[in-house]
Amino acid sequence: MRRNQKESKMSQQKKQKQVENTKISHGKGKIIEGDPKDFERNPMRHHWDAVFAGHPALNRAPYHRGVITQQFRKLKTKILPHNVNQLDKTSYVFLVTSSLPQEGVTCTALNLATSLSLEKDWQTVIIDGCGHKNSLSSQLRGGALLGLMDYLDDAAQLEQIIYPLPSPNLYIMPHGTLNPCRSECFASQKMESLMMATRKTFSKSFIIIDAPATYEFSEAQILSQYCDGIIFVCHKTQTPYDTFMNSIQSLPQEKISGVVLNHASFYSQTAE
């Protein structure tokens, strides 16, 4: 009988250990720098390589060379202080948006986040605020995972919705369950609490919000109140000038950090 009790106890401990192993490494309720093995338990791992294979414009660590990589390094240096490690500020939040869908916002957000994650002693979190069919969550087949909207609906805790990616110091917060009242959720006190908690979770962090287009949706204007800077993406050949101007003027002008002119030649003279 004692033997059966001992085996039962060992079985329960083994199951508990398996449950703990499915979560991101954390201490006292806070996410810490994950072990590479964390990603092996991430359901999105099978689709990570496919995302980059299908998007030649994407670059990931540790491949630090190439024209596109250098362009995003230039973008990074323009929006950040010259030496972020000498400042008292320990977190920066950047909103990435555009006038119209399919202008390259998700591509820009992921490339920028990957570049920022290379900064020594800093972690980077991508928040999927879109959830559309071409969003990063959808491409990684992470739509069924707990995410941002589940937290706002009180269906998940913060440590349950941040997942490690294989690039060093890079994490993702998926969109989560689709919600028809997304605008109202983003404007809620719960969203403000989420942004404050995410800022405090990491000792030093860059938070990139992949936001919906401003011309068709209101979410980017709402999310802009939580960010330190806004990166506006514009398709060089497809975005009408009036649409671009109306969209960018709808955002807080003092927070506009820069405009990314997408699909532009590297060798033509373009505004940055």
Side-chain angles (χ1 to χ4, degrees), residues 134-153:
N134 292 321
S135 69
L136 186 57
S137 297
S138 298
Q139 294 179 50
L140 290 172
R141 305 296 191 273
L145 298 176
L146 294 174
L148 170 64
M149 301 311 300
D150 299 289
Y151 178 90
L152 298 179
D153 284 337

Side-chain angles (χ1 to χ4, degrees), residues 16-262:
Q16 179 63 27
K17 187 175 181 179
Q18 289 175 342
V19 171
E20 293 173 352
N21 286 340
T22 62
K23 300 179 181 179
I24 304 173
S25 300
H26 62 280
K28 297 182 179 179
K30 291 188 176 182
I31 310 297
I32 60 175
E33 183 175 348
D35 186 271
K37 293 182 179 179
D38 289 332
F39 186 71
E40 295 303 317
R41 296 185 288 269
N42 190 328
M44 295 180 285
R45 67 187 185 278
H46 301 297
H47 306 282
W48 179 250
D49 291 332
V51 169
F52 287 89
H55 295 272
L58 295 179
N59 283 273
R60 55 177 165 173
Y63 305 106
H64 307 327
R65 296 182 179 180
V67 176
I68 296 173
T69 303
Q70 296 306 321
Q71 292 300 313
F72 278 96
R73 275 184 164 169
K74 288 174 62 178
L75 174 63
K76 177 176 64 174
T77 58
K78 289 180 180 296
I79 64 176
L80 289 180
H82 291 300
N83 193 340
V84 294
N85 291 307
Q86 292 182 356
L87 301 180
D88 294 333
K89 193 174 179 65
T90 58
S91 68
Y92 293 87
V93 179
F94 292 101
L95 180 77
V96 185
T97 186
S98 63
S99 300
L100 303 171
Q102 298 183 347
E103 291 199 69
V105 171
T106 298
C107 176
T108 301
L110 179 56
N111 273 311
L112 178 60
T114 303
S115 184
L116 288 170
S117 69
L118 299 176
E119 294 293 323
K120 189 176 181 180
D121 300 324
W122 289 73
Q123 288 78 45
T124 304
V125 181
I126 311 173
I127 298 179
D128 183 358
C130 293
H132 54 71
K133 64 179 181 180
N134 292 321
S135 69
L136 186 57
S137 297
S138 298
Q139 294 179 50
L140 290 172
R141 305 296 191 273
L145 298 176
L146 294 174
L148 170 64
M149 301 311 300
D150 299 289
Y151 178 90
L152 298 179
D153 284 337
D154 296 318
Q157 300 298 316
L158 180 63
E159 59 267 23
Q160 295 177 294
I161 63 173
I162 300 180
Y163 300 83
L165 293 174
S167 296
N169 303 318
L170 184 60
Y171 300 81
I172 182 175
M173 184 184 297
H175 187 74
T177 306
L178 295 178
N179 190 324
C181 299
R182 185 171 62 181
S183 296
E184 289 74 15
C185 290
F186 286 168
S188 67
Q189 183 66 38
K190 187 75 173 180
M191 182 67 192
E192 182 178 357
S193 300
L194 170 70
M195 295 307 301
M196 292 178 61
T198 306
R199 284 178 179 265
K200 294 178 180 178
T201 293
F202 300 95
S203 57
K204 293 182 178 181
S205 63
F206 299 113
I207 302 170
I208 308 297
I209 304 177
D210 183 357
T214 59
Y215 196 74
E216 296 183 0
F217 306 99
S218 62
E219 284 89 338
Q221 288 91 337
I222 297 172
L223 291 170
S224 65
Q225 64 183 300
Y226 308 116
C227 72
D228 300 303
I230 300 172
I231 310 297
F232 201 89
V233 182
C234 177
H235 194 295
K236 181 183 178 182
T237 61
Q238 295 184 7
T239 307
Y241 178 78
D242 291 342
T243 301
F244 165 75
M245 291 302 299
N246 290 334
S247 299
I248 201 169
Q249 289 174 2
S250 69
L251 300 168
Q253 298 301 290
E254 69 278 5
K255 290 187 176 182
I256 302 293
S257 299
V259 175
V260 174
L261 192 59
N262 205 4

